Amino acid sequence: MNASKITIKGIFNTSRKLEIPFYQRAYVWKEEQWERFLSDMELVTATKKPYFIGSIILKAGQVNTWDEITDRKIVVDGQQRLTTLLLFFKALCLKANIHDKFDRDFLLENDEIALSTGINDCDAFDIVMNHKEASPIDCKSNVTNIINAFNYFISNIDINKLDRITIQKNLEFVCIDLDAGEDEQQVFDTINSLGVKLTTAELLKNYFYSKNDVSSFNSNWVPIFENDDETKEYWNQEFEAGSVKKSLINEFFDSYFKLFVNDVAYKVSTEDKILYGRSDKLFNSYKDFISNYCNGNMSVVLDELADTARIFKETFDPGWTQKCVSNEYGIERINTIIFGLKNTTLIPYVLFIEKNVLDANEKKSMYQLLESYIMRRIITKESTKNYNRLFQSFIANRITSKSDLLKALNDNSGNTTSIPSDTDLEKGFKETKLYNLQARGVIYLIETSLRNPKDSTTLLGFDKYSLEHLMPKKWRNKWGTVANEEERDRILLTLGNLAIITQSLNASIRDGDWTTKLKGKNSNPGLISCSSGLKTMTDVVNKKIWDETGISSRADWLISKAKKLWKI
């Protein structure tokens, strides 16, 4: 076994063939990984600093005396990264009109591509590698993640933000080379399954406090983060942030750091802001910031640590997705939007508000505006790509009032973070197909706004509800014929045809006719039972029929509520 640091040039050369085992699982990366990868490549180009992208395990393969390949390697681990690399460079070279450079870098002397994929991907991979145009591939008969990945890069690469040579020089792997007789499964399992990765908080704790600081550690760190089991349980809670899970304590240190980085008093350079923006480099970023912007004085960070951590703990709670939230604008609803609807990029700015806005009514007004902004963009299916930059700009500009926040949002009019208009909102309800989570969130928050504390039924937490299509996707089985099937297929996916209910319906009820769906069958409940007390379903369950007219009418009703609830 031999382990060494290696660059792209060290992995791919004119005589080495990398072979993904033929019966290996298919390429599985999707848009969230492609977006992260592209962002990584832009970061490498901007900073021109070495960037570790992970480890790969290669095992010596059989070399045939009759061909020109003198070095064959089996890819034991690293299939996703290596495949993505080739798809990325293929798209980049085509868009930059330097396809000859791709051939030079990734073709062997016998004109074969340096990487071969498995049975599930080989046809699609060949289609991409033989593609000669800087345009997406229209391949309806063989649409795989390979094709989709290439099309994503073709559509999203900005050649002004990427430099091929810089990436090749600075992208680093740890390559573990196994001899033919070594047990690759044992090595793979050991690397991927054993050991516990240190958290950012654990690394920072050891950085901030030495053996001689026990008293300071016990008085400042322990009461906040390790006082008792309940405290530890809070900070160790995990939540989904994009494609990864994060603990609350790591999120705190990430958000806390952003308050410093975006404070104009420290004059953090643009290049360092890019570098400091990566959560996976947070520990090193803290050290670099303290060294370069605080003259090595840790007290700059430590002096406010305890108070800010207390504010964070009082403010953020993933458990709000399990509890009934108020119909009043405020932190309960913001928690639902952050943790229930996965808008975690809001956290640093909300922490900034809690630290710096003392007037309760002002905070309530700001949260009303933030909720309205986020929900309007969800309904109109706007991108969240630039949220991180946007919310951090509010910290940098010290936006501490609703009027200033509204002005800052309006200043973004026309760009990728603009406020959707009422017209956009109406179109979203009528035409947009949302992810189930988003649709559930829209209807749930409208439901909360209609509730009265004196209602006979209590509203449950967001996570307690399921999303239901009132007219089922399989309507052809029990709902008869219709003149325009394509229009019916479209409209049943929009918000007017969606509802939240307390439990998922049995398949026979879910796909049954309207009467069966309402009343249920045998011991299986229907919509009437599962939506009892819900204001957003009162009119629906009284309908004798449910069709396109009902869907459109309900969409109009929801629009009227949404305009009032999420007014700008």
Side-chain angles (χ1 to χ4, degrees), residues 123-142:
D123 291 342
F125 190 75
D126 287 343
I127 290 171
V128 172
M129 292 299 114
N130 291 320
H131 194 61
K132 303 299 182 184
E133 304 293 332
S135 59
I137 296 172
D138 184 12
C139 187
K140 296 178 180 179
S141 62
N142 194 14

Side-chain angles (χ1 to χ4, degrees), residues 268-280:
V268 178
S269 70
T270 301
E271 181 180 273
D272 281 340
K273 280 188 177 181
I274 295 172
L275 194 63
Y276 294 163
R278 300 307 301 261
S279 298
D280 54 346

Side-chain angles (χ1 to χ4, degrees), residues 260-274 276 289 293:
F260 289 97
V261 172
N262 291 289
D263 189 330
V264 294
Y266 296 102
K267 299 178 181 178
V268 178
S269 70
T270 301
E271 181 180 273
D272 281 340
K273 280 188 177 181
I274 295 172
Y276 294 163
F289 173 78
Y293 293 97

Side-chain angles (χ1 to χ4, degrees), residues 448-459:
T448 65
S449 71
L450 303 174
R451 306 296 288 196
N452 187 304
K454 296 181 180 180
D455 285 341
S456 59
T457 57
T458 302
L459 186 68

Side-chain angles (χ1 to χ4, degrees), residues 224-225 234-235 252-253 255-257 259-260 286 300-316 347-348 350-352 354-356:
I224 300 302
F225 300 111
Y234 170 80
W235 290 111
F252 163 71
F253 279 105
S255 299
Y256 182 56
F257 188 57
L259 301 187
F260 289 97
Y286 263 97
V300 173
V301 171
L302 289 177
D303 284 350
E304 295 184 43
L305 180 66
D307 285 341
T308 309
R310 287 190 186 96
I311 292 171
F312 186 99
K313 190 170 182 290
E314 292 168 358
T315 302
F316 301 104
I347 292 176
V350 172
L351 179 61
F352 174 83
E354 289 293 324
K355 270 179 66 72
N356 295 281

